[in-house]
Amino acid sequence: MTAKSAAHTIATFARRHRLRPMEALPWVLAVAAYFVFPDYLALGAQILATLLFGLSADLVLGYAGIVTLGHAAFYGVGAYTAGYLAAHGVGSPIIGLIAAMVAAGAVGFISGLIILRTQGLSILMLTLVVCVMLQEAANKMTSITGGADGLQGMEVQPVLGMFRFDMYGHTAYWYALGVLFLGWAVTRTIVHSSFGRSLTGIRENVARMNAIGTPVFFRLVTIYTISAMLAGAAGALIAETTQLVALNVLSVDLSGTILVMIILGGVGRLYGAFIGVPLYMIAQDRFSTIDPTYWYFWIGLLLVLVVAFARGGILGMADAVLRRFKRSP
Amino acid sequence: MTITARFLAALFTVTLAGIGIASAQTEIKVGVVSTMSGPDAQPGDEMNKGIDLYVKEHQKDLPAGVKVTLIYRDDTGANPDVAKRLATELVTRDHVNILAGAVWSPNAAAIASVATEAKVPFVIMNAAGASITRASPYIIRTSFTLWLVSTPIGQWAAKQGWKKAYTAVTDYAPGFDAEGGFTKGFTDGGGTVIDKVRMPFPTDDYSPFIQRIKDSKPNVAFIFVPAGKKATAVMKAWNDLGLTKAGIKLVTTQDVMLDEELPNMGDAPLGIVSAGTYSNAATRAANQVFLNAWRNAYGEKPIADFMSVAGWDGMAAIFDVVKQTNGKFDGDAAMKILSNWKTTDSPRGPISIDPNTRDVIENVYIRRVENLNGKLANVEFETIPNVKDPWKEANPPK
């Protein structure tokens, strides 16, 4: 390796975590959407909250390579924590959010200590088991969760004592956008840190990471806990903005759907969720409005097309196109 | 590209539809939240068919220049958060005048807060959880409650001189209501419930529960599962384990002896007694009118059941609001008419809305499954007139 190319490589690595102008695009779009689609803010807030959930799922799946089918467990714990507090007099949304993160993080830490000792299919099964067990527990503990009727009677106070959650979703939209921004800042910092890099290393080659002395298990538990906290925050957002929690926040269905959304956008690329989640949810909204009986078919068709023609998700396809342009000047 | 093109085409269609709607005269929009996809779509389909049929048959009765448009949204099953979002969107985006539908009780309870905040009347056409009508002053219900049908069947069972009962219900709120209603009716009549079991919602294998009933040898068993394929599954287990031969009687509600599921049950249900608000085999003139319209619209194959009739009656109430106000009403004006609504010619007999509770008052029929011209049918043999929801009578609002 020549000195010049080494310097070039170092410069590339040094640049990769610098903010690029393109990264402002999602936020500009999100603010613009508020003014362009005033009738769609309730959906918008749900998309933003789900985006945070997608980011957290991408941290474990895309970066750390932990294949999970139970990520809704943390989302659900967060949602029920925030919901339970709001239904029992602690109506401050910020306190609810923080409590939800702590509770979800605790569940993530404890289950991670057990689950992350295994690999491959066992991880898949164990994450699934945690999710199903929590859902069944929520179904049985009707006095706390309301069971199949859902947790009703939440009274969420205005954000910072000033902005009431309204039916049209004005407050919900800004609140979700703010929390998402913080979540994104944390996620971005993590994936570009040396800790984030070591996660990618673990994903690509566990044996080598062990050999060079990386505390693999500890790293995995850490990222699993952080991801669980973010998922818990997303769950709290959904609970507080819709003022309702139901058993499906803990469903395996949801765990699968969030994976589908980030795969649609592109896994392990931070912005995959920013493409996949809105695309999936807007498509779902449009299709189910136009064709309320067979809308699932159109969603399925969309997914088949993406899987067939855009491997690596939409961002992966975009990369491939860009590369072709660069190669043939 | 394909996706973008599809999406743009879809957007374009919606815009066109929007323009088309805007050019009509007075239009009353009814937003229906129903279940149209997924494993639980069948009850939603029954309800929607009843709603569509009423609009089709009676659109011509509306004052000149007024029309009723239905906007359907799919809640995909018992998903209260989805139902709430859909109801919110129906109000904020589509500006519906009335909300309607709701197959599932949790969904109805979730929609209640939207109705309250938007001051939009919400006509519940199936969801049968007893307490739901209290969740919002903008709710009326045209279907039934599980207390309303299970209490009379408990009383009837006690009157047969049966002393020991066993209850088996699905483990969710309407199941608890069914259990509560039957237990109240049966114990007030002098019987004892010797044991009870709550069966998990997702299961389709009822043999272990039915076996437990068989082992404890009660005189009578009361079973409730949600209407649909689960009803057939539970009857299959009952038949396979030979409980009728073992001398155990079965009583249940119309959810299990479902008119449209009877043809799938073989001879197993013959002689089984249930309580219900509607039977397809009823000979009332209004029912014949309804069934003729149904056959003309849908043919012989789909069989109308109590959910179709509740949808039909719910639309009748909505149409009466439109007729009386010439299509010009706000939420409160509509609620005044809806909560005093009554009719004598529902397919299930006379029904009315109790102005105090905004819940339905209707006849409960005790029916026995018999073979009518080669087809099994729920034949009504006893009528308990004008029943109010017993749960609300026993639990007055605080």
Side-chain angles (χ1 to χ4, degrees):
Chain A
M1 193 186 272
T2 65
K4 196 179 165 202
S5 83
H8 178 73
T9 314
I10 292 170
T12 311
F13 274 113
R15 259 206 317 267
R16 67 190 303 166
H17 60 266
R18 213 173 285 157
L19 270 172
R20 281 163 294 158
M22 270 296 275
E23 300 191 70
L25 186 65
W27 311 107
V28 173
L29 284 179
V31 172
Y34 176 84
F35 296 101
V36 180
F37 301 108
D39 283 352
Y40 289 77
L41 295 180
L43 176 69
Q46 289 202 340
I47 292 178
L48 294 172
T50 312
L51 234 164
L52 182 59
F53 185 33
L55 272 183
S56 94
D58 201 19
L59 267 185
V60 292
L61 177 74
Y63 285 92
I66 304 166
V67 185
T68 167
L69 255 185
H71 214 56
F74 314 120
Y75 179 81
V77 167
Y80 272 115
T81 308
Y84 183 82
L85 287 178
H88 291 78
V90 189
S92 159
I94 310 278
I95 292 177
L97 188 75
I98 293 168
M101 290 177 72
V102 171
V107 175
F109 178 70
I110 294 166
S111 65
L113 284 179
I114 305 162
I115 289 173
L116 297 170
R117 288 176 194 280
T118 62
Q119 267 157 8
L121 275 181
S122 322
I123 285 205
L124 194 77
M125 295 306 295
L126 287 173
T127 52
L128 191 89
V129 164
V130 170
C131 192
V132 172
M133 274 172 35
L134 282 173
Q135 189 181 26
E136 198 46 44
N139 183 32
K140 286 283 167 202
M141 292 189 292
T142 44
S143 58
I144 298 173
T145 63
D149 288 338
L151 183 66
Q152 311 266 354
M154 284 175 64
E155 278 175 33
V156 183
Q157 288 160 6
V159 182
L160 304 173
M162 284 185 285
F163 307 101
R164 201 179 74 84
F165 284 105
D166 55 312
M167 192 170 66
Y168 294 87
H170 296 283
T171 309
Y173 192 84
W174 289 115
Y175 179 56
L177 188 59
V179 176
L180 173 65
F181 186 80
L182 293 177
W184 166 82
V186 170
T187 312
R188 194 179 181 284
T189 311
I190 290 173
V191 299
H192 289 304
S193 68
S194 54
F195 168 67
R197 292 281 139 207
S198 73
L199 290 176
T200 314
I202 293 169
R203 180 189 75 201
E204 293 300 322
N205 196 333
V206 183
R208 184 173 291 181
M209 291 308 277
N210 272 318
I212 62 172
T214 311
V216 169
F217 176 66
F218 175 71
R219 294 267 157 98
L220 286 179
V221 172
T222 311
I223 192 65
Y224 202 64
T225 308
I226 294 172
S227 169
M229 289 174 76
L230 288 174
L237 275 185
I238 281 286
E240 288 169 352
T241 53
T242 60
Q243 316 227 341
L244 186 104
V245 189
L247 282 176
N248 61 332
V249 295
L250 284 167
S251 69
V252 174
D253 243 32
L254 180 64
S255 312
T257 310
I258 195 67
L259 294 192
V260 169
M261 290 188 207
I262 57 177
I263 290 167
L264 196 61
V267 183
R269 0 192 0 142
L270 191 59
Y271 289 100
F274 282 83
I275 303 275
V277 172
L279 181 69
Y280 185 95
M281 291 183 71
I282 292 171
Q284 181 177 346
D285 179 73
R286 291 290 81 204
F287 289 147
S288 66
T289 306
I290 296 162
D291 184 358
T293 315
Y294 298 110
W295 60 276
Y296 259 122
F297 170 78
W298 300 111
I299 291 275
L301 189 66
L302 176 72
L303 293 179
V304 169
L305 287 177
V306 169
V307 172
F309 298 113
R311 310 195 80 187
I314 296 195
L315 282 181
M317 183 170 68
D319 271 1
V321 171
L322 280 181
R323 235 177 286 132
R324 189 167 296 173
F325 273 116
K326 274 182 190 159
R327 229 184 296 143
S328 54
Chain B
M1 267 316 277
T2 326
I3 303 157
T4 329
R6 253 237 83 79
F7 183 65
L8 286 179
L11 267 183
F12 185 62
T13 325
V14 171
T15 321
L16 273 188
I19 295 166
I21 284 167
S23 62
Q25 299 132 308
T26 310
E27 187 192 34
I28 303 302
K29 292 190 206 169
V30 179
V32 184
V33 180
S34 177
T35 304
M36 302 161 87
S37 65
D40 300 319
Q42 195 198 4
D45 186 51
E46 287 283 341
M47 183 178 82
N48 300 351
K49 282 200 164 77
I51 296 171
D52 288 338
L53 190 60
Y54 191 90
V55 175
K56 180 167 165 278
E57 293 289 309
H58 293 275
Q59 188 78 269
K60 59 180 190 311
D61 303 344
L62 291 176
V66 183
K67 72 182 248 217
V68 168
T69 311
L70 299 168
I71 304 177
Y72 280 101
R73 289 290 180 271
D74 176 21
D75 60 22
T76 70
N79 297 318
D81 59 330
V82 178
K84 184 167 181 178
R85 177 169 62 80
L86 295 176
T88 310
E89 290 172 0
L90 281 168
V91 170
T92 57
R93 282 193 214 166
D94 299 304
H95 308 288
V96 296
N97 306 84
I98 289 179
L99 287 166
V103 175
W104 306 95
S105 299
N107 296 11
I111 295 171
S113 62
V114 179
T116 310
E117 186 168 352
K119 297 190 168 32
V120 169
F122 173 30
V123 179
I124 297 179
M125 296 176 172
N126 185 45
S131 63
I132 295 169
T133 44
R134 287 204 184 137
S136 164
Y138 288 90
I139 287 181
I140 71 153
R141 168 157 46 202
T142 61
S143 48
F144 66 106
T145 74
L146 280 154
W147 276 86
L148 187 113
V149 288
S150 346
T151 315
I153 196 69
Q155 291 161 345
W156 184 85
K159 247 187 271 166
Q160 309 309 305
W162 298 329
K163 290 290 165 219
K164 292 187 294 178
Y166 195 116
T167 66
V169 299
T170 294
D171 193 0
Y172 79 136
F176 310 153
D177 282 0
E179 182 188 286
F182 176 85
T183 307
K184 175 94 174 41
F186 192 66
T187 48
D188 283 359
T192 341
V193 174
I194 53 169
D195 206 351
K196 61 179 185 181
V197 61
R198 291 175 174 182
M199 309 176 284
F201 191 93
T203 192
D204 278 323
D205 177 14
Y206 293 98
S207 323
F209 309 106
I210 303 292
Q211 184 64 45
R212 272 168 68 180
I213 299 179
K214 193 178 179 185
D215 294 343
S216 26
K217 299 191 177 63
N219 304 117
V220 56
F222 171 78
I223 294 182
F224 166 82
V225 295
K229 298 290 171 207
K230 289 178 193 306
T232 304
V234 86
M235 279 316 297
K236 184 176 183 316
W238 180 269
N239 202 38
D240 288 351
L241 294 168
L243 272 80
T244 308
K245 279 192 206 98
I248 299 169
K249 305 282 186 231
L250 171 62
V251 293
T252 178
T253 65
Q254 58 190 355
D255 306 80
V256 178
M257 288 297 116
L258 204 57
D259 290 326
E260 98 248 12
E261 284 294 317
L262 282 181
N264 304 333
M265 293 181 177
D267 279 340
L270 260 181
I272 287 175
V273 174
S274 60
T277 55
Y278 173 74
S279 160
N280 202 301
T283 48
R284 286 176 289 281
N287 189 35
Q288 297 312 316
V289 173
F290 168 72
L291 288 177
N292 281 335
W294 182 277
R295 268 193 292 272
N296 287 336
Y298 306 120
E300 292 290 334
K301 192 73 184 103
I303 298 172
D305 68 12
F306 64 91
M307 285 166 281
S308 325
V309 171
W312 167 281
D313 286 336
M315 282 319 292
I318 292 172
F319 266 54
D320 278 353
V321 172
V322 177
K323 280 187 235 166
Q324 288 181 30
T325 59
N326 247 333
K328 290 177 186 60
F329 60 85
D330 62 4
D332 293 300
M335 279 315 292
K336 220 167 262 164
I337 300 170
L338 286 173
S339 45
N340 291 294
W341 184 74
K342 54 173 65 111
T343 180
T344 46
D345 54 357
S346 158
R348 48 190 154 150
I351 63 169
S352 61
I353 303 295
D354 182 346
N356 296 322
T357 61
R358 288 165 283 103
D359 217 331
V360 61
I361 304 175
E362 61 193 315
N363 294 350
V364 174
Y365 304 97
I366 309 290
R367 316 96 50 91
R368 185 180 284 115
V369 177
E370 287 173 17
N371 194 328
L372 279 188
N373 314 321
K375 280 185 195 159
L376 295 191
N378 286 302
V379 179
E380 299 167 353
F381 64 89
E382 203 178 308
T383 305
I384 303 140
N386 303 327
V387 183
K388 286 185 182 184
D389 175 36
W391 182 83
K392 288 201 189 58
E393 308 274 289
N395 299 277
K398 282 165 214 158

